[in-house]
Amino acid sequence: MNASLTINSGQSKILCLNQTRRINDFLEMSSAAIAFVDKDGTILELTPSFTRIFGYTIKEIPHIDAWWMLAFPDPVYRENRRKQWNADVAKALEHGGKIHNFEGHVCCKDGHYVWFEAHTSFSGNEIFIMLADISRRKQAENKAIDFAHEADTLRRESAWHNLALSTSHSGTWEWLPETEEHLWSPAIWDLFGLDKENQTPSFALWEAIIDTADRLRVTQKIREAVNQSKDFLDEYRITVSGQQRWLYVSGRSIQTDPAHPLRYLGIVMDITERKQAEIALREREEVMSAIVTQAGDAIELTDLETFRFVEFNDASCSLLGYSREEYAQLTVFDIQAELSREEIRTRSGNAISEKELRFETKHRRKDGLLVDAQVSMRFIELRGRRYSVAIWGDIRERKDLEARMNYKAMIVQATPDAMFIHDFMGRFVEVNRQACESVGYTREELLGMACSISKKTSTWLAPSLNGFMSIRERPISCSAAIGAKTPVYSRSKYISDQSCQTGNRYLSQW
């Protein structure tokens, strides 16, 4: 029996040795990094795979504190990881069991980082730690996350692209000229007014819907671009449901490899509203140009830095005797006869934009004669540069008329007879000095006052539409300011003044 026990005991030892050897072989061949640590933090043993993965030996990390410093150089991350580890170990020791698995990244001896997944358990007073390298898995997860982000971004961009195309009334297309293969987006079918279900996209189908006035030009241009592998763009008209539309087409040639066939990617856009606006603007510009060109007054746009005439109408040159070519070489200084260069620059510099200035001045003609001009001017700013817009006209005739009228007024004021000008209702509209003295009123008092004449003069007040009153001198009485009756002789004449708001007038001479 003792012999049997001895044999069994020897067999047990052999079995234990075999198991220990198998465990050691397993630990050495394991791809995971394994460490044995006592409860005080002393590292008892590291497997070869630990050193192979992280590069550290037991001499470099004899204690777990050395591991914290080397594996986690970031102080914030290290402190968070250490606190979590200490809390997990204390809880496991108190309640028994394993520490929950966790993930993290470790700085290896050569400086690169490795993602790991930690598994721990207790065996008596020792802690068994296994760190599995999950770097490839994390890379795959990150790639999956990036791919998901890219896919989400592509979906959003596609949605934005479709929204932009729909909002701008545009569609996309693809064309392989070699195989005549065409791909049209749904929006293009709507733009062309074609039936997607019963028609096949082709160059011939597209060519047929182009307006005959544009068809040859557009198709030739595209064919020439294809022959030279160049991009193209053009505008053309089509008719959909009886309404004419303007479309813009743009194509980009793509050929990444000479062995691959040439293909085109492009866009078609409905530009009907823009073309209609352009046509309306062009018509308006033509009308405005005709108005400006045919205007009797000069109209000029002047650059206030050089004081050259940027734009001007025909009246600007003709009023001063220049040709258009000659006038284009002039500046404001060349035609201004009253103001010096300094005065012109000062006035222009002090002018307020958008405020209108009105003044009279003199311009110098090509032949040297001076022209009286009335100027209306505004200052504007275009693209950061200041300009003046001036409209001026020749007022020499008006000046001559004013001079003659002033001369006649001087004669009327100097005549010894009292002269009254009154309207059809008998209200005085002008009087001379003798008239005021004869009745004792001031000019201001008489203007607007009705004739205060005795009943005997009622016939005298009635107008005669043949141009004169009863042309005879007769005595009448006028009430003077002092209340006395003044005997005078009267003679009246009918005056037609259509330019005056009061209409016809009568000149009376006493």
Side-chain angles (χ1 to χ4, degrees), residues 2 27 39 67 105 128 146 162 196 291 308 313 324 328 349 380 395 459 470 473 492:
N2 291 333
L27 293 176
K39 293 180 180 180
W67 165 254
H105 55 81
F128 173 79
D146 292 341
N162 291 333
K196 179 182 178 181
I291 293 174
R308 286 193 175 277
N313 65 349
R324 289 193 64 86
I380 61 174
I395 57 171
T459 302
S470 300
E473 296 181 357
S492 297

Side-chain angles (χ1 to χ4, degrees), residues 94-141:
E94 181 180 355
H95 300 287
K98 299 179 179 180
I99 297 177
H100 293 295
N101 299 340
F102 60 89
E103 295 180 358
H105 55 81
V106 169
C107 180
C108 300
K109 186 177 180 179
D110 61 4
H112 81 278
Y113 282 80
V114 172
W115 275 93
F116 68 89
E117 182 179 63
H119 304 266
T120 61
S121 64
F122 291 92
S123 177
N125 293 327
E126 297 179 2
I127 303 175
F128 173 79
I129 304 174
M130 183 175 69
L131 303 177
D133 185 353
I134 59 171
S135 299
R136 291 185 179 180
R137 193 191 80 189
K138 294 298 290 186
Q139 290 175 357
E141 290 176 354

Side-chain angles (χ1 to χ4, degrees), residues 33-74:
I34 298 174
F36 293 92
V37 185
D38 66 14
K39 293 180 180 180
D40 297 329
T42 301
I43 297 179
L44 304 175
E45 186 177 354
L46 298 177
T47 61
S49 57
F50 190 99
T51 303
R52 185 176 64 253
I53 294 174
F54 299 118
Y56 302 114
T57 65
I58 196 167
K59 291 182 179 181
E60 294 169 315
I61 49 173
H63 195 275
I64 196 170
D65 290 338
W67 165 254
W68 292 121
M69 295 299 296
L70 295 173
F72 306 102
D74 184 345

Side-chain angles (χ1 to χ4, degrees), residues 256-355:
T256 57
D257 189 335
H260 295 160
L262 174 70
R263 66 190 182 106
Y264 277 86
L265 296 179
I267 186 172
V268 173
M269 180 183 301
D270 188 337
I271 58 171
T272 304
E273 293 184 1
R274 192 196 80 189
K275 294 296 290 187
Q276 290 175 344
E278 289 176 356
I279 294 172
L281 179 61
R282 184 164 57 250
E283 292 176 349
R284 184 172 181 271
E285 289 177 345
E286 290 174 355
V287 171
M288 295 302 296
S289 176
I291 293 174
V292 170
T293 301
Q294 299 177 19
D297 289 339
I299 303 175
E300 300 165 345
L301 178 67
T302 306
D303 186 335
L304 293 183
E305 289 189 12
T306 63
F307 286 90
R308 286 193 175 277
F309 301 114
V310 179
E311 294 289 345
F312 51 88
N313 65 349
D314 292 343
S316 299
C317 4
S318 61
L319 287 173
L320 298 181
Y322 291 97
S323 66
R324 289 193 64 86
E325 292 73 18
E326 293 172 330
Y327 204 76
Q329 303 302 316
L330 301 180
T331 66
V332 175
F333 310 130
D334 298 318
I335 67 170
Q336 175 55 244
E338 283 190 338
L339 302 176
S340 66
R341 288 174 176 259
E342 291 71 21
E343 289 174 324
I344 293 173
R345 292 186 184 279
T346 300
R347 287 193 180 188
S348 301
N350 296 335
I352 301 175
S353 296
E354 303 300 331
K355 184 177 181 181

Side-chain angles (χ1 to χ4, degrees), residues 365-376:
R365 286 175 48 87
K366 180 181 179 179
D367 57 14
L369 295 178
L370 300 184
V371 175
D372 291 304
Q374 183 175 36
V375 182
S376 173

Side-chain angles (χ1 to χ4, degrees), residues 196-214:
K196 179 182 178 181
E197 302 300 328
N198 299 315
Q199 292 177 300
T200 302
S202 66
F203 191 91
L205 179 62
W206 168 75
E207 182 180 14
I209 66 173
I210 301 177
D211 190 283
T212 54
D214 303 327

Side-chain angles (χ1 to χ4, degrees), residues 4 25 74 83 93 96 102 122 146 158 189 219 223 226 230 233 377 384 416 425 489 498:
S4 176
D25 292 342
D74 184 345
K83 287 181 178 180
L93 289 174
F102 60 89
F122 291 92
D146 292 341
S158 178
W189 291 93
T219 54
R223 292 295 188 190
V226 171
K230 292 184 177 180
L233 58 88
M377 181 181 294
M425 301 301 294
Y489 287 91
Q498 300 298 333

